[in-house]
């Protein structure tokens, strides 16, 4: 049985003070132990959050990482720096980074390998654009992105990774995919992994859905056969929203 995982992707929101306020509020709450809980915060807030959340079940994630340990890469953050901050997960290949910052399937693969090499668990984002969806290219796109991201990994490394299927047309729009359609695409991604590696690895890897997930729809996604969690933007920014997502993900 795969453990459910809810990750909040705060994107470029929350100053350190706002992040501290959020963390101090959430750590007071009774949280379901069955769901793995992650907050992917801006780099600037990671140190403060690490101190506040130490000893709680809430894990820290980053939203990007460079593939080099160090070097002349102005503005970048290395896996070593994230590990030093107590970060467990790192989002790699988010569609906003593919769209605005030239992230490619090749750089995603390099970053995934570097993250795993330094003990970070990648949350690897795949998903089609609206144009690709309307052209019935969803499966071709997620196959290409998944195979490229996982190329050269061991079965064990894939098993500890997380994939996030995020149809770009559902991100920030309020128009999520249906639970059934999301499950169909995620089952296809699992099939791709079974072909690239083996069925046991495909059965072990956790695959999230992301794209307008809210406390009032998260349970519907998690009740699907192949969906193991959610990667959530907007709804994870408030304490009430984040707690609601955890509660919704805890229902059978
Ligand atoms: O991009 C997302 C998470 O990485 C989804 O964002 P929303 O939940 O705001 O649609």
């Amino acid at each position: 049985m795969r453990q459910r995982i809810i990750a909040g992707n705060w994107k470029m929101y929350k100053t350190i003070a706002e992040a501290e306020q959020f963390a101090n509020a959430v750590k007071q709450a009774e949280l379901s132990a069955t769901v793995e809980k992650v907050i992917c915060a801006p780099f600037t807030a990671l140190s403060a959050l690490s101190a506040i959340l130490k000893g709680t079940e809430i894990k820290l994630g980053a939203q990007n990482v460079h593939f080099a340990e160090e070097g002349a890469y102005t503005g970048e953050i290395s896996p070593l720096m994230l590990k030093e901050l107590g970060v467990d997960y790192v989002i790699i290949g988010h569609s906003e980074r593919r769209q605005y910052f030239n992230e490619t399937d090749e750089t995603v693969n390099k970053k995934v390998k570097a993250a795993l090499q330094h003990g970070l668990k990648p949350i690897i984002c795949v998903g089609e654009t609206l144009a690709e969806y309307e052209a019935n290219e969803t499966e071709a796109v997620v196959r290409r992105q998944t195979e490229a991201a996982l190329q050269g990994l061991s079965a064990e490394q894939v098993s500890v990774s997380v994939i996030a299927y995020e149809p770009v047309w559902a991100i920030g729009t309020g128009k999520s995919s249906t639970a059934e359609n999301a499950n169909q695409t995620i089952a296809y991604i699992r099939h791709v992994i079974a072909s690239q590696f083996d069925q046991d690895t495909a059965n072990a890897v956790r695959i999230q859905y992301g794209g307008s997930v809210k406390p009032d729809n998260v349970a519907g996604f998690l009740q699907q056969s192949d969906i193991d969690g959610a990667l959530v933007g907007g709804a994870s920014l408030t304490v009430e929203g984040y707690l609601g997502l955890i509660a919704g993900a805890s229902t059978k």
Side-chain angles (χ1 to χ4, degrees), residues 142-184:
V142 298
R143 168 183 281 277
R144 187 204 80 230
Q145 292 175 327
T146 300
E147 288 180 339
L150 302 181
Q151 189 272 330
L153 267 59
S154 68
E156 168 61 25
Q157 288 177 317
V158 176
S159 301
V160 302
S161 301
V162 176
I163 308 278
Y165 166 57
E166 295 200 311
V168 179
W169 47 268
I171 295 175
T173 61
K175 299 191 197 76
S176 68
S177 174
T178 64
E180 295 70 22
N181 287 346
N183 192 61
Q184 188 177 341

Side-chain angles (χ1 to χ4, degrees), residues 42-81:
F43 292 130
T44 49
L46 290 174
S47 181
L49 287 175
S50 182
I52 294 170
L53 296 174
K54 197 173 179 66
T56 74
E57 286 187 0
I58 300 175
K59 295 176 182 163
L60 268 186
Q63 299 171 24
N64 182 39
V65 68
H66 196 273
F67 49 76
E69 288 187 355
E70 60 184 11
Y73 300 104
T74 302
E76 291 294 312
I77 299 283
S78 87
L80 290 171
M81 296 169 185

Side-chain angles (χ1 to χ4, degrees), residues 9 11 94 166 170-172 211-213 231-234:
N9 174 10
K11 303 189 182 183
H94 191 280
E166 295 200 311
I171 295 175
S212 295
V213 175
L231 183 57
V232 187

Side-chain angles (χ1 to χ4, degrees), residues 2 89 116 121-122 150 153-163 190 193 197-207:
R2 301 180 293 263
Y89 286 89
L116 288 162
K121 294 176 187 170
L150 302 181
L153 267 59
S154 68
E156 168 61 25
Q157 288 177 317
V158 176
S159 301
V160 302
S161 301
V162 176
I163 308 278
R190 210 176 288 283
I193 295 171
F197 293 90
D198 56 66
Q199 192 59 54
D200 286 347
T201 303
N203 293 341
V205 68
R206 291 182 293 174
I207 308 179

Side-chain angles (χ1 to χ4, degrees), residues 10 14 18-29 31 39 215 234-246:
W10 284 357
K14 292 196 188 297
E18 289 166 335
E20 288 175 328
Q21 194 177 19
F22 181 103
N24 281 315
V26 166
K27 74 184 283 190
Q28 303 303 326
L31 293 169
I39 293 173
S236 72
L237 288 168
T238 64
V239 171
E240 184 190 9
Y242 190 71
L243 296 181
L245 290 163
I246 304 294

